Amino acid sequence: MNNQIQNDEIDLADLFKTIMKYKYIIALFAIIFTLGAAVFAYTKPSVYSSFATIELQEDTKSFNADDALKQAFSGGTVNVENQIEIFKSKSLQDQAVKNLNLGTRYFTIKNYRQREYYKNSPFIVIDKVLEDNIYGTNFILTPIDDESFRLEIKPISKYSKRGILALLGVQPLEDYEMISYDKVHKYNEEISTEWFTIEITKLSPLENEEYSFSFVHPSIASNVYFDALSVSQVSELSSILQVSIEDGVSLRAADLLNSLFKAYLEQEIQRKSEVANLSLTFIDNQLDEINAKLKVSESDLESYKESNDVISLSDKAKNVSQQLVEYETKIQELNIEENIMSNLYQYISNNQNLSGLTVGSITFADPVLASLVKNLHELSSQKDTFLLDYTELHPEVQKLTKTISSLRRQIIASLKNNLSQLSQRKSSLNALIVKFKGSLETLPKQERDLTRLTRHFNVNEKVYSFLLEKRAETAILKSSTISNGRILDQALNFNKPIKPKRILIVLVGMILGIIVGLAYAFLREFLNHTIKNTEEIEKYSSMPIYGVVPLNKNKKTSNIFLEAFRSIRTNLQFLPQNEKSRVISITSSVSGEGKTTVTAKLAEIIGQSDKRVIVLDLDLRKASVHKEFGLPNNIGMSNYLTHQNSLEEVIKKTNSKNVDVITTGVLPPNPSELILTDAMKNLLEELKKSYDYIIMDTPPVGLVTDALILMNYSDITFTIVRANYTRKEFIRNLDRLSKEHSHNHVGMILNGVEIGDKYGYGYGVSYGYGYGNGKYYKNR
């Protein structure tokens, strides 16, 4: 458990070190993303919102059950869901846009931000003729002086999405997309081309350098302006709707909502007026017919009275006449009811689209029928609303179609039943009329004729008075027709934008930049397979680190660079010493890790401590030591090992104190065989007599076997590891190699470390590693 906690702490420390290592890159990403987000937030157009509320009042009119006309043409209660769909309908929105005259949009760029004009544009465009292809095209207007301007239409750029698709042959450009126009015109001048005929009128001075405008096609105007419309109930059980909209111009958002409400109320009034007009038409037709009958009966009655002496009727004749008038009047009312129901039956039977059905309730015959007709009307209206946005194949539309078909069959069956009942009632009344007419036969002929004529006149007069009364009521109803909707809150102009949240966008940009910077840092760290510091060496090897050498970039780092080699020299003094001289071999994993430089500088530092040092360049495949000391390489190690020259001849003096060098000489074809000869052993034994330190610059141990051979002749082997250059896999191989060659000391020198926290850490611990490493020396 403790090990797990320790590992977690190490991981967190590594994460922190990685962050600190790439802190400037992370900060750079954060700054770039923040600036980008700030530019985006600044240039993005503002979006404003406006809202309004409307109450949908239920129709509370209650008519007498036996009032045939009113019941036949009355409406039902309000369905909130239907009204929501009506507000979202394209037809209503088209009417709202039409009322506001929003066919042209005006823009300008001010302070690098696009601004749209609404009712405050310094000029207006009168469109006289517009081809369909010109809608949506961007016109650029550049003021020249007080009387003229430049009008441009630029074709689609070849670097745009459409341009690239056309270039690739995927979708060729249309003719209107290649329209190019650039001419100078005067204000109030008719501009006529094959695509458009317009006139531009200046209303106020044009202060900006450039303006633009475009035309919105009437068929898509509602989609453009009402795209962000939202309609919802204030609460689940309420009949109050809240309607809100978002737009790039605050005043236009309010005007759009108010215009939408106006169009909605007008539509509701028009719908109700149509019902009243239908009632008036029906009544007028009946009045004309009854009026003609009334005139005839009145004329007959007067003619009969003038030609006969009978002036008044007997009591018996009056009673019988009153009964007949009552029954015959009832027959007339039943005929009206039968006419209404027959028309309804024919309408439902012959029409598939029932949205125009205006009969809401017919309770004089059957209350169930009234409910069925009301439901049929509502479902038909709801289906028409759905069809504005969907097709007949939509599941909701198919469901409504099935329900309407079922209701249609029920209504037809109910109408047949009611018509049958009306026929039976008429038969019963006719039987009574025949009975009373029979009693009139007992009266004298003159009285009987007078009774008949009087009865006909009274029946026609009553029916005519009844129709006149209903016409007056219907006319009053039409004149007082109001919508079921009542506006509670008008839409207001709110100047504070709701989008974009500019501060939030900048903060998100900064956070995103930090995240991307961190991702970049950790990705680079993950993909970096080289050693960077002493901590990573500890992870992959138990070998001691005898020194950390920083980069020697300038005079400022020169002292630290030299101090690192003094630290290595100090660490060498604590190694066990069996002989007077010490043999040190220096190798690396691959070339380029600074092996030769470290060899030369270490020899120079040891020589400054009054110790005699000789450097042997045993990299017989690539000579380089002579370059560090500025010596010729005419003869050297290869000449001595092949017995061409003596030891005294191959040893060269250097300018460094107490430091001599044996260079490689001519590079031999068989360096490994030369190193394995007894001459090599004899050379080292001979040099030990004269020198305190023998430093061998060997080939890279990761490339050839020469270094492994020479390690057997050494008291200690320094493997040079270069920061951000040596691969981690090589550290593991070195650790395995050090355990295989356990009879001598193998250690590391970390070279090329950047001056800073990493160097300070490495330099501070280098002595401790060199002096004693229990992990390394255990079991040796």
Side-chain angles (χ1 to χ4, degrees), residues 172-346:
L173 292 174
E174 301 290 342
D175 292 339
Y176 70 90
E177 293 177 311
M178 296 185 288
I179 294 176
S180 179
Y181 187 86
D182 188 357
K183 288 186 178 180
V184 175
H185 296 280
K186 293 184 179 297
Y187 296 106
N188 302 319
E189 173 187 81
E190 185 177 275
I191 305 171
S192 182
T193 69
E194 59 180 306
W195 307 292
F196 58 87
T197 300
I198 61 176
E199 182 179 319
I200 298 178
T201 301
K202 185 173 73 170
L203 302 179
S204 60
L206 280 68
E207 299 176 350
N208 296 333
E209 294 181 358
E210 185 178 283
Y211 298 83
S212 64
F213 61 90
S214 62
F215 301 105
V216 181
H217 198 282
S219 63
I220 64 169
S222 60
N223 298 333
V224 172
Y225 294 109
F226 284 100
D227 181 59
L229 180 71
S230 175
V231 186
S232 61
Q233 285 180 263
V234 174
S235 63
E236 185 177 356
L237 300 178
S238 73
S239 60
I240 298 177
L241 298 181
Q242 184 178 71
V243 186
S244 62
I245 193 171
E246 296 177 2
D247 194 82
V249 182
S250 60
L251 179 59
R252 186 171 63 197
D255 286 351
L256 283 169
L257 281 188
N258 291 329
S259 180
L260 184 68
F261 277 6
K262 179 182 178 182
Y264 172 79
L265 297 178
E266 290 176 350
Q267 185 184 80
E268 286 291 295
I269 293 174
Q270 181 181 1
R271 181 180 64 84
K272 290 189 174 185
S273 297
E274 289 175 357
V275 176
N277 288 333
L278 181 61
S279 300
L280 289 174
T281 301
F282 175 80
I283 293 173
D284 288 340
N285 292 334
Q286 295 295 318
L287 279 172
D288 292 339
E289 182 180 345
I290 297 299
N291 186 40
K293 292 181 180 180
L294 180 61
K295 288 181 178 180
V296 172
S297 60
E298 183 180 13
S299 177
D300 291 345
L301 180 60
E302 290 178 355
S303 297
Y304 185 81
K305 287 183 177 181
E306 290 175 358
S307 60
N308 295 278
D309 294 332
V310 180
I311 299 177
S312 61
L313 298 175
S314 63
D315 292 339
K316 179 180 179 180
K318 287 182 179 180
N319 291 332
V320 173
S321 178
Q322 288 176 358
Q323 290 293 330
L324 285 173
V325 168
E326 181 179 349
Y327 291 143
E328 287 177 348
T329 303
K330 193 65 176 178
I331 286 288
Q332 290 288 345
E333 292 179 1
L334 290 177
N335 286 334
I336 294 174
E337 294 179 14
E338 187 177 31
N339 188 18
I340 293 172
M341 300 187 78
S342 296
N343 290 336
L344 180 61
Y345 177 80
Q346 293 296 327

Side-chain angles (χ1 to χ4, degrees), residues 487-506:
I487 299 176
L488 299 180
D489 296 310
Q490 290 275 359
L492 301 178
N493 179 16
F494 296 100
N495 292 321
K496 185 177 180 180
I498 61 167
K499 291 189 296 188
K501 305 289 186 182
R502 292 187 168 87
I503 296 178
L504 181 61
I505 290 175
V506 173

Side-chain angles (χ1 to χ4, degrees), residues 296-578:
V296 172
S297 60
E298 183 180 13
S299 177
D300 291 345
L301 180 60
E302 290 178 355
S303 297
Y304 185 81
K305 287 183 177 181
E306 290 175 358
S307 60
N308 295 278
D309 294 332
V310 180
I311 299 177
S312 61
L313 298 175
S314 63
D315 292 339
K316 179 180 179 180
K318 287 182 179 180
N319 291 332
V320 173
S321 178
Q322 288 176 358
Q323 290 293 330
L324 285 173
V325 168
E326 181 179 349
Y327 291 143
E328 287 177 348
T329 303
K330 193 65 176 178
I331 286 288
Q332 290 288 345
E333 292 179 1
L334 290 177
N335 286 334
I336 294 174
E337 294 179 14
E338 187 177 31
N339 188 18
I340 293 172
M341 300 187 78
S342 296
N343 290 336
L344 180 61
Y345 177 80
Q346 293 296 327
Y347 183 87
I348 294 177
S349 299
N350 299 330
N351 290 276
Q352 293 296 324
N353 184 8
L354 301 177
S355 60
L357 185 64
T358 55
V359 180
S361 60
I362 307 179
T363 57
F364 53 80
D366 186 0
V368 175
L369 179 61
S371 177
L372 291 175
V373 173
K374 171 188 171 185
N375 291 337
L376 181 63
H377 176 260
E378 291 180 351
L379 290 175
S380 298
S381 300
Q382 189 174 351
K383 178 182 176 181
D384 286 346
T385 303
F386 268 105
L387 288 176
L388 293 174
D389 300 315
Y390 307 106
T391 65
E392 291 281 355
L393 300 178
H394 191 272
E396 288 295 332
V397 176
Q398 291 181 340
K399 181 180 178 181
L400 286 172
T401 302
K402 292 179 181 179
T403 307
I404 289 172
S405 298
S406 176
L407 277 175
R408 183 199 300 269
R409 290 191 295 270
Q410 295 179 47
I411 290 173
I412 290 175
S414 180
L415 284 171
K416 288 181 178 179
N417 182 51
N418 278 271
L419 287 171
S420 176
Q421 291 179 7
L422 286 175
S423 179
Q424 291 176 5
R425 291 173 63 189
K426 285 172 63 178
S427 298
S428 299
L429 289 173
N430 284 326
L432 290 173
I433 290 172
V434 171
K435 177 183 176 182
F436 280 100
K437 282 183 178 181
S439 64
L440 289 176
E441 295 298 327
T442 60
L443 298 174
K445 183 178 184 303
Q446 287 186 341
E447 191 174 2
R448 187 169 65 247
D449 291 339
L450 181 59
T451 301
R452 177 177 55 79
L453 293 174
T454 303
R455 186 180 77 251
H456 288 169
F457 175 76
N458 290 336
V459 169
N460 291 330
E461 188 179 36
K462 279 193 173 184
V463 174
Y464 188 77
S465 298
F466 169 78
L467 290 175
L468 284 178
E469 179 184 354
K470 301 312 170 190
R471 191 188 191 288
E473 291 178 0
T474 306
I476 294 172
L477 178 64
K478 177 183 177 181
S479 63
S480 61
T481 298
I482 61 173
S483 171
N484 285 342
R486 181 170 66 94
I487 299 176
L488 299 180
D489 296 310
Q490 290 275 359
L492 301 178
N493 179 16
F494 296 100
N495 292 321
K496 185 177 180 180
I498 61 167
K499 291 189 296 188
K501 305 289 186 182
R502 292 187 168 87
I503 296 178
L504 181 61
I505 290 175
V506 173
L507 289 176
V508 170
M510 181 178 65
I511 294 172
L512 184 61
I514 293 173
I515 292 174
V516 172
L518 290 172
Y520 172 80
F522 290 124
L523 182 62
R524 280 200 60 179
E525 198 71 9
F526 176 76
L527 296 177
N528 189 355
H529 299 291
T530 60
I531 291 297
K532 292 174 282 298
N533 49 45
T534 55
E535 293 89 338
E536 290 191 351
I537 295 176
E538 291 178 353
K539 289 182 180 179
Y540 302 107
S541 174
S542 59
M543 295 169 57
I545 300 174
Y546 284 90
V548 178
V549 179
L551 288 173
N552 187 15
K553 296 181 179 180
N554 46 48
K555 294 181 179 180
K556 184 177 181 180
T557 59
S558 178
N559 292 333
I560 302 176
F561 178 76
L562 295 175
E563 190 63 31
F565 283 98
R566 293 188 185 99
S567 175
I568 297 172
R569 180 184 66 187
T570 302
N571 289 335
L572 288 174
Q573 296 175 2
F574 290 93
L575 291 173
Q577 185 173 0
N578 299 324

